[in-house]
Structures are given as C-alpha cells and as structure tokens.
Amino acid sequence: EPEVTQTPSHQVTQMGQEVILRCVPISNHLYFYWYRQILGQKVEFLVSFYNNEISEKSEIFDDQFSVERPDGSNFTLKIRSTKLEDSAMYFCASSGAAGNQPQHFGDGTRLSIL
Amino acid sequence: AQSVTQPDIHITVSEGASLELRCNYSYGATPYLFWYVQSPGQGLQLLLKYFSGDTLVQGIKGFEAEFKRSQSSFNLRKPSVHWSDAAEYFCAVAAGGNDMRFGAGTRLTVKP
C-alpha cells in the first residue's frame, strides 16, 4: 500500500535557525497537509495545499511558516526562525480529494528546538 | 467552524472486555467523520470513516463506529479488546473543506 514518507524522523535545531521538514505524499494524491502535535496534546491543523497554493491555514500558521511543492513529489514545511514552542511532532498527510477522502498520514518528524 | 470533543482523556479496560470511545462533533450539517489510532512514536492510522449511508461503519482491526445524528456522536466500539489495541485514539471531522479537526484524543490502556 502506498505510504506518505517524512524525513528526517528527528530534527534537532538551535532556536532562531531555519528548518525544513520534508514529505513525499502518495503519488496520485492532490491535496497535501501539515499538522502539528505538541507533546501530550492533540493534533492541530496547520495548512492545506492544492494546485500549488495554500487552500486553508490555521491561526498557528503565521509568517514564520511556509510550504512549498518544489517538484512533482516533495512537499516541504519551512520554519524560518524557530522558537522553543515550535518543538513538536509534525505530520504530513495527503488525500485524493478534499473532505470526503481520508487523509493518509506519514510517521511524523519530531522537531526539537534547543 | 467544526469541532470535535472526546470526553474521556484516558480509559482502562481489561483484555477481552468491550470498549466504547466517545466522540461528539459540532457542525451545522453532516460532516465527514473519522477515527484514527496512534501508537507511541508512530503516525496516525485510519481505522474507519463515515461519509454517508449506513450509520454503522466497520473498520480495520475489528473496530466499528456508529453515527448518530440526533446525538451528534460518532462513538468507536470494539467487542473484545486485545493488548495490542493500547494506543491513543483520535476522532476527527472534516466539513467538506480541506482542514480536518481532531479531538484531544483518548488514551487506551489495556490491563492483562
């Protein structure tokens, strides 16, 4: 069964540094998503992406965040100047359509900000 | 905006006992409803989904869920729990848009 893959599995970064989290969605999917899960808390929606542009974003997704689909297979989340509170698990997901298709999740990248 | 409530933060059941995890949603119309399971250090795995039609849906690993419009609920059930079912369970709702909203999760502990 096709999977969403995320790299790296764990990223440790100094506060203030830029970090890029990478995802390879399922190849025939058209909708891509990023979610965040702070340790012990619920999964929070960050952003959805379709047709090479952001379709929806949450209040968490401020100017420090950006997403990009640089080629036909990768989907990245960039945090420009990391803060301690950005430490979390970041999950990428993809789906074939919006709403009525389940989103398939990767195993996540654990981001630790020092 | 849609929202999801999982009233139980932590549930402990004995192996072989039945299980019901509660989920209530808030949305003006019928949303798309999902249950995901997360094992420690792992991603989210889809257990089952409801879009329309039969209100009792079957999922993987012997789980089922029932959509009750009158109660705005989508509770997850399993008749006999196995030790490997210990995990965090998330109910989620998507209202036709692109964002999925998750509940806070219910942590399931299984006693031998």
Side-chain angles (χ1 to χ4, degrees):
Chain A
E1 186 176 325
E3 294 181 340
V4 175
T5 57
Q6 292 185 242
T7 56
S9 57
H10 191 189
Q11 174 82 45
V12 182
T13 301
Q14 291 284 343
M15 186 173 61
Q17 296 297 306
E18 174 183 286
V19 66
I20 297 176
L21 309 181
R22 303 182 191 280
C23 170
V24 179
I26 294 173
S27 61
N28 62 347
H29 283 182
L30 302 175
Y31 293 81
F32 314 112
Y33 313 83
W34 282 101
Y35 292 83
R36 179 183 79 176
Q37 184 181 32
I38 295 171
L39 185 64
Q41 298 186 24
K42 67 178 178 181
V43 178
E44 300 172 291
F45 169 78
L46 292 178
V47 66
S48 60
F49 191 86
Y50 170 71
N51 200 26
N52 285 319
E53 61 183 22
I54 290 173
S55 47
E56 292 186 56
K57 61 181 181 179
S58 71
E59 58 277 6
I60 302 170
F61 194 88
D62 61 22
D63 292 343
Q64 294 295 320
F65 291 88
S66 63
V67 289
E68 191 178 30
R69 188 157 164 81
D71 52 45
S73 59
N74 290 283
F75 179 53
T76 62
L77 174 70
K78 181 192 291 185
I79 308 174
R80 288 189 185 79
S81 178
T82 50
K83 303 185 288 289
L84 293 176
E85 53 265 38
D86 293 327
S87 295
M89 281 288 286
Y90 288 82
F91 292 104
C92 174
S94 69
S95 67
N100 66 348
Q101 291 291 319
Q103 296 176 21
H104 297 260
F105 286 77
D107 286 339
T109 293
R110 179 171 298 284
L111 177 62
S112 300
I113 306 301
L114 304 179
Chain B
Q2 68 271 26
S3 66
V4 181
T5 302
Q6 292 181 247
D8 305 305
I9 297 172
H10 185 199
I11 284 182
T12 300
V13 299
S14 297
E15 190 168 18
S18 63
L19 171 71
E20 182 167 27
L21 303 182
R22 296 183 291 166
C23 172
N24 294 97
Y25 68 90
S26 174
Y27 181 60
T30 301
Y32 305 117
L33 297 160
F34 308 84
W35 275 98
Y36 284 86
V37 60
Q38 184 183 33
S39 297
Q42 301 295 312
L44 295 156
Q45 182 183 24
L46 178 70
L47 285 176
L48 47 77
K49 60 186 184 291
Y50 173 78
F51 297 149
S52 65
D54 193 347
T55 56
L56 183 65
V57 292
Q58 303 296 321
I60 62 170
K61 305 184 180 185
F63 286 93
E64 66 177 27
E66 186 171 12
F67 169 64
K68 292 186 177 180
R69 185 190 305 275
S70 61
Q71 298 177 18
S72 297
S73 69
F74 188 56
N75 295 346
L76 181 72
R77 300 195 295 251
K78 186 169 183 177
S80 177
V81 169
H82 187 261
W83 64 265
S84 60
D85 294 324
E88 188 94 17
Y89 290 80
F90 292 94
C91 182
V93 57
N98 290 322
D99 64 330
M100 183 180 288
R101 303 289 171 164
F102 285 83
T106 298
R107 184 160 60 93
L108 174 65
T109 298
V110 180
K111 293 190 302 184

